[in-house]
């Protein structure tokens, strides 16, 4: 079952503004590198949060593990196998944000959980339609019971405008295309392998993140890359910690090997 929402951050904000009843308290274990929308959701629910692996010492009966499946700033994957083991051992709720994995990972484009062969162990998968799908909004993939609960108690879902019909149609077309045109995923992962081979940088996903240090260095490098024909964003605080500013970009199926070589040449002063 799934729900579609008009804004991509709503799946992570469904509990916003709702204070838990005493007997509903739950310990939420969130990776410190999770997306800001997840962190905001946890703050707004006024519940306890902690590091994902703090679950080992938690005494509360109800627990939830929430994590990005593929981290946007570093481009690495969550330890899905280990998280599933914790989920089963402690009978916790397992929630993943698959914003950067949907249509990108696994043979059929089912995302990171499918890539790690654990999609049946994930209770709720939230994601966006604004990245690989090229649309707008987001989705929540879950059981029928969770869907009914969200529809009846998810305040930001209930009190938000419905998705426009053209957007819904475009999202449907994206799903069909992602299933049929698997060559796009193969081309994307070919570029990832080529980048690793040409640079020696062991990226594990299409996200390329090069740490340069200070804000000044990052902004200067970004401007220089733009002059070379590459729009590479300078990522600065509060998105990343001070002195870990970076150049971040992402590969796509539309990029060619020649594009990649030119990018690496422009990156030469920062690799």
């Amino acid at each position: 079952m799934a729900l579609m929402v008009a804004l991509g951050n709503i799946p992570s904000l469904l509990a916003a503004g709702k204070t838990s009843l005493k007997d509903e308290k739950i310990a939420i274990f969130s990776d410190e590198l999770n997306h800001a929308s997840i962190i905001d959701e946890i703050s707004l629910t006024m519940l306890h949060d902690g590091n994902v692996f703090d679950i080992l010492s938690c005494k509360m009966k109800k627990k939830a593990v929430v994590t990005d499946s593929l981290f946007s700033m570093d481009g690495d994957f969550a330890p899905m196998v280990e998280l599933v083991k914790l989920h089963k051992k402690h009978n916790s709720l397992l929630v993943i944000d698959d914003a950067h994995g949907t249509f990108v990972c696994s043979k059929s484009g089912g995302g990171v959980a499918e890539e790690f062969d654990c999609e049946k162990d994930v209770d709720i998968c939230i994601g966006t339609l604004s990245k690989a799908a090229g649309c707008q909004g987001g989705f929540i993939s879950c059981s029928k019971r969770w869907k009914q609960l969200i529809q009846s108690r998810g305040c930001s879902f209930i009190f938000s405008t419905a998705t426009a019909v053209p957007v819904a149609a475009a999202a449907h077309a994206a799903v069909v295309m992602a299933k049929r045109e698997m060559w796009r995923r193969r081309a994307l992962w070919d570029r990832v392998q080529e980048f690793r081979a040409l640079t020696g940088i062991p990226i594990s996903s299409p996200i390329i993140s090069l740490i340069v240090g200070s804000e000044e260095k990052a902004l200067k490098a970004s401007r220089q890359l733009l002059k070379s024909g590459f729009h590479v964003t300078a990522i600065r605080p509060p998105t990343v910690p001070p002195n870990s500013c970076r150049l971040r970009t992402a590969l796509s199926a539309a990029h060619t090997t020649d594009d990649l070589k030119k990018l690496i040449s422009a990156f030469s002063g920062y690799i």
Side-chain angles (χ1 to χ4, degrees):
M1 302 294 290
L3 295 90
M4 189 174 176
V5 296
L7 295 176
N9 66 327
I10 282 182
S12 296
L13 292 170
L14 282 172
K18 174 174 171 51
T19 304
S20 294
L21 300 175
K22 186 175 181 181
D23 60 352
E24 289 182 318
K25 284 187 177 179
I26 182 171
I28 300 177
F29 301 90
S30 169
D31 195 291
E32 64 181 355
L33 298 179
N34 276 342
H35 191 270
S37 61
I38 297 175
I39 296 170
D40 287 346
E41 181 269 332
I42 292 172
S43 299
L44 290 168
T45 55
M46 301 176 66
L47 304 179
H48 171 73
D49 67 290
N51 182 277
V52 167
F53 290 96
D54 286 344
I55 193 172
L56 297 171
S57 58
C58 179
K59 303 299 182 183
M60 293 179 71
K61 291 183 179 181
K62 295 182 180 181
K63 308 176 184 72
V65 174
V66 186
T67 184
D68 277 347
S69 58
L70 175 55
F71 294 97
S72 61
M73 287 300 110
D74 293 310
D76 56 348
F77 291 96
M80 295 299 299
V81 175
E82 290 82 356
L83 291 177
V84 167
K85 289 179 180 178
L86 285 174
H87 158 64
K88 291 180 177 179
K89 181 178 179 180
H90 297 275
N91 194 31
S92 66
L93 180 72
L94 180 56
V95 183
I96 66 169
D97 184 339
D98 204 36
H100 294 275
T102 303
F103 300 151
V104 170
C105 297
S106 83
K107 185 178 179 180
S108 66
V112 173
E114 188 173 280
E115 177 73 24
F116 285 89
D117 194 27
C118 61
E119 67 270 25
K120 292 182 180 179
D121 298 305
V122 175
D123 296 301
I124 299 174
C125 175
I126 62 177
T128 182
L129 296 170
S130 65
K131 292 182 169 46
C135 301
Q136 181 185 7
F139 66 88
I140 308 166
S141 178
C142 56
S143 67
K144 184 176 181 180
R145 289 186 67 188
W146 274 110
K147 179 181 177 180
Q148 291 173 336
L149 179 65
I150 291 168
Q151 287 176 320
S152 61
R153 297 184 64 183
C155 291
S156 52
F157 174 79
I158 295 169
F159 298 107
S160 63
T161 303
T163 303
V165 173
V167 174
H172 179 264
V175 172
V176 173
M177 182 181 292
K179 289 182 176 180
R180 289 180 180 173
E181 302 182 8
M182 293 187 288
W183 64 266
R184 295 178 185 274
R185 262 184 305 284
R186 289 195 295 268
L188 173 60
W189 287 98
D190 284 346
R191 300 293 87 77
V192 173
Q193 291 178 359
E194 288 172 0
F195 186 88
R196 284 199 296 253
L198 291 169
T199 64
I201 298 175
I203 62 171
S204 57
S205 76
I207 297 172
I208 300 171
S209 182
L210 302 177
I211 297 177
V212 296
S214 68
E215 292 188 49
E216 183 181 359
K217 288 181 179 179
L219 289 169
K220 181 179 179 180
S222 180
R223 287 192 292 266
Q224 290 176 339
L225 286 165
L226 187 59
K227 290 179 181 179
S228 300
F230 297 97
H231 186 188
V232 179
T233 306
I235 306 296
R236 300 166 288 159
T239 306
V240 293
N243 297 316
S244 68
C245 298
R246 61 200 66 192
L247 300 171
R248 180 194 177 279
T249 190
L251 301 175
S252 82
H255 291 135
T256 65
T257 301
D258 188 52
D259 291 331
L260 199 57
K261 289 179 179 179
K262 291 178 180 178
L263 174 64
I264 291 170
S265 177
F267 267 152
S268 60
Y270 314 104
I271 294 177

